[in-house]
């Protein structure tokens, strides 16, 4: 299914979702498949109903940060019924106001908790058929130097990579901007790619979030070109308000040209806040990727 046929294909997708058949793929022309992030999209619906809504809109896959409040068999059933593929989940994190709200990988003294979280994350990822587990770096704890936090982080990643070996799940890391994630350890794409190289590109990859990259560094086309060799997954939103592409400051046609030139044909997670509703905003696919 091409981007320009989104409205026509919705009814066909809905019937396929109800019958359990795979949904036709919402895809950037000559580029990546689009995955609906169910934390951010279709939020007018209860979480469990967002799966069918994503299939009806033509998405072939979904991602969301935290599957853990739901039993894995229930999530598998929702995926199967909608004909969707689980693309990515995050490693467990704490409550929104807790010190570990962005993960534990950089927290000295919490190694046992980090490892338990990775075990749980891999259990869910394998159970849901998700090929990617995003290992959250975490916020540098008070009183801990950045150097110590970073050393802890790299050591924990090396353990996680060993643990994930043979599971069929690839691990990814993501740099996040200081405005949205104050104190987050991993802030730049250059640092993230250096970590991937240090731990091993055969064991780790980059989750390249184009929104975070633009907010922190700008120069997005050059960033894409430099990072694509390391990228196993991309996510997208438009600064300054983290809305759908075409509503903010980025010249997305140039960015998508760079993705095509780089040969990226993986998944692109739609992790944005719809400006005027999810379905109404899907016109961006045709408008900014042609």
């Amino acid at each position: 299914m091409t981007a320009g046929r989104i409205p026509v294909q919705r009814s066909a997708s809905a019937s396929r979702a109800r019958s359990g058949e795979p949904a036709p793929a919402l895809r950037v022309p000559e580029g990546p498949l689009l995955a609906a992030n169910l934390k951010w999209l279709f939020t007018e619906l209860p979480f469990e109903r967002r799966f069918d809504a994503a299939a009806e809109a033509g998405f072939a896959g979904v991602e969301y940060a935290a599957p853990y409040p739901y039993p894995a068999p229930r999530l598998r059933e929702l995926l199967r019924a909608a004909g969707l593929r689980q693309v990515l989940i995050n490693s467990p994190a704490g409550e929104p106001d807790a010190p570990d709200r962005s993960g534990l990988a950089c927290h000295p003294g919490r190694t046992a908790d980090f490892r338990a979280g990775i075990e749980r994350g891999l259990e869910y990822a394998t159970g849901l058929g998700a090929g990617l587990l995003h290992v959250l770096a975490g916020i540098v704890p008070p009183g801990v130097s950045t150097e110590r936090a970073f050393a802890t982080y790299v050591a924990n990643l090396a353990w996680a990579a060993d643990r994930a070996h043979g599971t069929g799940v690839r691990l990814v890391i993501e740099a996040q901007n200081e405005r949205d994630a104050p104190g987050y350890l991993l802030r730049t794409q250059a640092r993230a790619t250096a970590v991937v190289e240090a731990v091993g590109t055969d064991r780790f990859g980059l989750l390249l979030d184009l929104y975070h990259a633009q907010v922190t560094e700008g120069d997005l086309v050059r960033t894409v070109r430099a990072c694509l060799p390391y990228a196993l997954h991309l996510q997208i939103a438009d600064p300054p308000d983290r809305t759908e592409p075409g509503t903010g400051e980025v010249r997305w046609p140039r960015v998508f040209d760079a993705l095509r030139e780089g040969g990226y044909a993986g998944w692109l997670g739609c992790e944005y806040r719809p400006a005027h509703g999810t379905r109404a905003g899907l016109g961006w696919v045709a408008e900014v990727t042609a």
Side-chain angles (χ1 to χ4, degrees), residues 50-281:
R50 297 175 196 175
F51 291 81
D52 280 346
E56 290 166 9
F59 288 99
V62 294
E63 60 177 35
Y64 39 87
Y68 309 106
Y70 300 87
R74 175 56 181 160
L75 295 174
R76 282 199 305 271
E77 173 58 25
L78 292 169
L79 291 164
R80 185 206 62 78
L84 293 168
R85 177 177 171 183
Q86 185 75 46
V87 177
L88 169 111
I89 61 172
N90 284 2
S91 59
E95 296 300 317
D97 296 326
D100 59 355
R101 63 187 178 275
S102 294
L104 285 168
C106 75
H107 287 226
R110 299 286 303 273
T111 298
D113 293 332
F114 169 80
R115 292 184 176 185
I118 292 299
E119 296 283 3
R120 192 178 186 207
L122 288 171
E123 178 184 358
Y124 265 81
T126 55
L128 299 177
L132 298 173
L133 176 65
H134 171 206
V135 181
L136 294 161
I139 295 169
V140 178
V144 174
S145 69
T146 300
E147 291 76 16
R148 185 183 177 202
F150 191 76
T152 301
Y153 175 57
V154 173
N156 277 332
L157 289 184
W159 178 90
D162 288 341
R163 177 61 188 85
H165 181 72
T167 64
V169 177
R170 299 288 302 277
L171 304 181
V172 291
I173 59 173
E174 174 193 42
Q176 298 187 18
N177 77 77
E178 180 69 11
R179 185 178 73 197
D180 289 85
Y184 197 75
L185 177 71
L186 201 60
R187 298 184 188 177
T188 69
Q189 304 306 320
R191 193 113 197 243
T193 55
V195 170
V196 170
E197 286 192 329
V199 177
T201 54
D202 57 327
R203 304 195 294 170
F204 256 91
L206 180 66
L207 192 173
L208 174 57
D209 187 303
L210 301 176
Y211 167 78
H212 286 301
Q214 174 66 13
V215 172
T216 299
E217 301 159 78
D219 207 7
L220 195 52
V221 169
R222 288 183 181 271
T223 299
V224 165
R225 289 172 176 163
C227 292
L228 275 187
Y230 303 91
L232 296 180
H233 187 68
L234 270 61
Q235 291 177 332
I236 193 169
D238 209 343
D241 298 322
R242 207 168 187 172
T243 45
E244 57 263 59
T247 58
E249 67 190 33
V250 174
R251 293 181 59 202
W252 289 107
R254 289 290 298 113
V255 174
F256 280 99
D257 283 345
L259 293 179
R260 295 186 189 99
E261 291 163 5
Y264 183 78
W267 290 92
L268 181 60
C270 296
E271 192 184 54
Y272 58 77
R273 184 182 298 107
H276 303 293
T278 302
R279 292 176 181 83

Side-chain angles (χ1 to χ4, degrees), residues 1-13 26 56-58 279-280 282-283 286:
M1 169 177 139
T2 62
R5 296 196 184 100
I6 293 171
V8 175
Q9 291 289 347
R10 283 177 184 160
S11 60
S13 298
L26 180 62
E56 290 166 9
R279 292 176 181 83
L282 285 175

Side-chain angles (χ1 to χ4, degrees), residues 16 18 23 76 115 287:
R16 287 182 173 88
R18 286 192 294 271
R76 282 199 305 271
R115 292 184 176 185
E287 292 168 4

Side-chain angles (χ1 to χ4, degrees), residues 21-41:
E21 298 176 20
L26 180 62
R27 189 183 185 101
V28 172
E30 300 179 12
L33 285 167
L34 302 183
N37 190 302
L38 298 187
K39 175 185 175 182
W40 293 78
L41 303 188

